[in-house]
Amino acid sequence: MADLDLRCALLIALLLWPGISAAREVPRVVLGLHDSPRTAAADSNYLYGLAEMPLNHLGLKLEYHNLRLGVPALGNRSDVRGLLIWLND
């Protein structure tokens, strides 16, 4: 019984320790880079059909970027968690 009390007290102390329980924002944007014609709609590529629903289910947002319009600047983007690249033959 004393061991259980000690473990509970330790767990509470760890949870209340500054820095351990501090909440921080987790990046949730996945940048989807694709190679489609300039006039193609966003929902006409494979990223939309195969990746968006599973990523949304995981709590991530897929943001499309057509590589034919240039490479995106990622230097000041702290909200990007990763890149998903789909290139056509």
Side-chain angles (χ1 to χ4, degrees):
M1 183 72 163
D3 287 338
L4 181 63
D5 291 340
L6 180 61
R7 281 186 258 163
C8 288
L10 239 127
L11 179 63
I12 291 171
L14 284 174
L15 290 175
L16 296 177
W17 192 273
I20 292 178
S21 64
R24 59 188 167 118
E25 188 174 332
V26 177
R28 299 204 181 272
V29 174
V30 173
L31 195 59
L33 304 176
H34 60 94
D35 181 27
S36 298
R38 290 176 184 253
T39 58
D43 61 354
S44 67
N45 61 50
Y46 285 109
L47 288 174
Y48 178 80
L50 298 175
E52 184 160 15
M53 186 183 62
L55 289 174
N56 286 342
H57 182 73
L58 294 171
L60 302 172
K61 179 185 174 212
L62 183 60
E63 188 176 297
Y64 300 99
H65 187 81
N66 193 344
L67 288 173
R68 293 190 185 194
L69 301 176
V71 179
L74 297 175
N76 57 354
R77 298 279 312 258
S78 62
D79 61 333
V80 175
R81 184 177 191 142
L83 297 174
L84 180 60
I85 302 171
W86 193 287
L87 303 174
N88 297 327
D89 288 339

